[in-house]
């Protein structure tokens, strides 16, 4: 019996694989991505289907006390693991907008981010100003980063953030249509990258937060990470709960 069932299983797996290959290669012209070689599981991830109804979010419409904490430009070999420890101690989930070179350099940190229940978003390869790039160049920025994230983690990002928040209305529309990504901006910018001191960053995050807010921080700076324990503790004390960006978007317009 065991043999019969394992043969059946093998047959089913074979059929499943064939069906997948057939359905996924209609033109046959799709370039094989790095993801398909490095992480077979990544191949089973669908392209991101659009979430939410808008091309862009800098906050979400809700009266409920939910906010999304987002960290840009990493992962960083020291600061990101320290941040993950801080978040884990408090059972707080965040969203990480990563750049492809760091994804490739630190795949194990990428896997830790996913394993601990956080979310990953696309933050391009070169961290350039998208408004000054051709459509083909912008597409390359996002698809290369998408593939690197899937290769490292097996999980496809669902949202993107343009470097510096620089993006045109037309770009937001075609990126959502062609790549499936809504543009994620922010409602609170503590300007942590200017290193104003961790207590200043903490108080800007806490005073800036409101229901449906998206908080911007950079996990490549040690001083930014220093601001997080107090910011999270104070927001929790005020009744806020932390959700990922896609969870927050799911609450848009729902009370
Ligand atoms: Ni950035």
């Amino acid at each position: 019996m065991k043999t019969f069932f394992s043969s059946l299983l093998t047959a089913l797996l074979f059929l499943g694989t064939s069906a997948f290959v057939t359905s996924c290669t209609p033109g046959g012209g799709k370039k094989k991505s790095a993801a398909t070689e490095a992480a077979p599981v990544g191949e089973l991830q669908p392209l991101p289907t659009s979430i939410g109804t808008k091309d862009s979010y800098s906050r979400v419409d809700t009266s409920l006390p939910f906010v999304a904490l987002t960290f840009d430009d990493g992962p960083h070999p020291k600061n990101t693991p320290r941040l993950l420890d801080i978040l884990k101690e408090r059972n707080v989930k965040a969203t990480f907008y990563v750049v492809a070179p760091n994804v490739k350099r630190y795949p194990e940190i990428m896997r830790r981010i996913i394993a601990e229940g956080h979310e990953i978003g696309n933050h391009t390869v070169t961290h350039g100003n998208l408004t000054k790039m051709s459509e083909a160049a912008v597409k390359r920025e996002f698809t290369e980063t998408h593939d690197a994230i899937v290769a490292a983690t097996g999980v496809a990002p669902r949202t993107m953030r343009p470097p510096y928040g620089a993006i045109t209305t037309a770009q937001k529309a075609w990126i959502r249509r062609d790549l499936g990504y809504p543009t994620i901006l922010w409602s609170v910018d503590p300007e942590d990258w200017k290193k104003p001191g961790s207590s200043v960053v903490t108080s800007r995050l806490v005073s800036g937060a409101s229901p449906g807010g998206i908080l911007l921080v950079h996990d490549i700076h040690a001083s930014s990470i220093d601001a997080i324990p107090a910011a999270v503790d104070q927001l929790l004390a005020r009744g806020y709960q932390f959700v990922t960006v896609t969870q927050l978007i799911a609450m848009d317009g729902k009370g």
Side-chain angles (χ1 to χ4, degrees), residues 5 24 248:
F5 280 119
C24 289
L248 193 70

Side-chain angles (χ1 to χ4, degrees), residues 3 13 17 39 46 96 115 128 146 219 226-228 231 243 253 255:
T3 315
L13 283 173
T17 310
F96 292 78
H146 185 99
D219 59 331
D226 293 340
I228 298 304
V243 292

Side-chain angles (χ1 to χ4, degrees), residues 58-138:
S58 54
R59 60 173 308 111
V60 148
D61 174 26
T62 179
S63 58
L64 301 170
F66 289 97
V67 289
L69 195 48
T70 65
F71 295 96
D72 285 16
D73 302 350
H76 181 280
K78 288 207 179 87
N79 297 326
T80 307
R82 183 159 72 92
L83 169 64
L84 288 169
D85 290 343
I86 290 165
L87 299 176
K88 194 177 189 179
E89 279 166 23
R90 293 160 175 81
N91 193 28
V92 161
K93 306 306 177 198
T95 304
F96 292 78
Y97 287 95
V98 296
V99 289
N102 289 343
V103 171
K104 291 176 184 167
R105 233 171 267 151
Y106 310 112
E108 68 292 343
I109 301 176
M110 293 293 294
R111 287 191 280 275
R112 183 178 167 195
I113 290 172
I114 292 295
E116 296 184 0
H118 305 291
E119 196 166 282
I120 306 269
N122 192 326
H123 198 44
T124 75
V125 179
T126 64
H127 204 273
N129 184 333
L130 301 183
T131 66
K132 300 189 189 314
M133 292 184 200
S134 69
E135 189 169 323
V138 169

Side-chain angles (χ1 to χ4, degrees), residues 23-35:
S23 64
C24 289
T25 52
K30 191 177 184 297
K31 177 171 78 84
K32 194 174 184 189
S33 71

Side-chain angles (χ1 to χ4, degrees), residues 139-162:
K139 203 166 266 186
R140 228 172 15 247
E141 291 279 345
F142 286 119
T143 52
E144 278 185 38
T145 307
H146 185 99
D147 288 350
I149 292 168
V150 175
T153 66
V155 178
R158 309 285 307 278
T159 66
M160 71 81 175
R161 174 170 284 158

Side-chain angles (χ1 to χ4, degrees), residues 14-26:
F14 176 75
L15 280 172
T17 310
S18 312
F20 177 77
V21 169
T22 309
S23 64
C24 289
T25 52

